[in-house]
Amino acid sequence: MTRSERQPFTRQVTAIGPHWVLDQRHQNIEKNHTDRTSRHQETTHEEITYLLLPDGSLKYVAVWEEETVHISDATPRVVIDRSHHLRDIGDGELKAFDFEKVHREYGRHGKGIKTWGDREPGKKLLVHAKGVGLSMALKRLL
């Protein structure tokens, strides 16, 4: 049985420049496949950061690290791919600030698909109106 034990990765995306962090989230997905002669595991780690830039714009930054481990004839092959995405915060991301932050975990390591993280907002509403959570996050910067 192959199990990938990973430490959290740190990735600096220099394209952003000076900024203030409003919130951070993460999501992990592990996919496992085993047949008679080989094992295959794909693990994706996603770090999400919500930022305020000096010009007042709000940005959503996602940084991915994808690791693929394929073992055939007891010989492991490991491929790691890193990428990132930067865009403006949209209406969909505003929900992350208005609802509680909840860690969820589904599945088992090494078997089928395992997911864990706090990327998706919880069900408990923390504020009285849409966008108030973001306003409170901005006030915490002061």
Side-chain angles (χ1 to χ4, degrees):
M1 174 182 201
T2 300
R3 181 162 179 233
S4 177
E5 298 225 14
R6 309 224 351 112
Q7 298 295 320
F9 71 96
T10 302
R11 168 100 187 224
Q12 182 178 13
V13 180
T14 56
I16 298 168
H19 62 274
W20 294 272
V21 174
L22 297 172
D23 194 16
Q24 290 185 302
R25 306 281 175 125
H26 72 283
Q27 181 72 17
N28 304 280
I29 302 169
E30 177 187 285
K31 297 177 184 177
N32 296 279
H33 177 73
T34 303
D35 62 29
R36 299 176 99 181
T37 60
S38 65
R39 284 179 244 168
H40 186 83
Q41 181 182 70
E42 297 175 25
T43 308
T44 302
H45 304 280
E46 180 183 16
E47 295 288 333
I48 299 160
T49 308
Y50 301 94
L51 305 173
L52 170 65
L53 299 183
D55 67 0
S57 61
L58 300 170
K59 299 292 180 181
Y60 171 97
V61 180
V63 179
W64 295 279
E65 181 176 88
E66 296 174 347
E67 175 186 63
T68 303
V69 178
H70 184 79
I71 299 175
S72 180
D73 300 322
T75 305
R77 278 192 338 246
V78 178
V79 176
I80 297 176
D81 182 36
R82 295 176 179 96
S83 59
H84 72 277
H85 179 75
L86 170 69
R87 64 179 165 82
D88 292 337
I89 289 178
D91 286 342
E93 288 82 35
L94 289 177
K95 267 187 8 181
F97 295 95
D98 292 342
F99 288 84
E100 69 180 332
K101 189 176 190 177
V102 176
H103 178 85
R104 292 189 176 102
E105 193 166 324
Y106 303 100
R108 290 182 23 207
H109 284 293
K111 300 274 185 183
I113 298 175
K114 163 91 176 162
T115 63
W116 66 100
D118 61 4
R119 177 183 67 188
E120 302 301 321
K123 293 181 180 181
K124 182 180 177 187
L125 184 63
L126 299 175
V127 296
H128 63 281
K130 181 180 177 181
V132 173
L134 175 60
S135 178
M136 292 169 59
L138 290 167
K139 287 179 183 177
R140 284 192 293 269
L141 293 176
L142 299 177

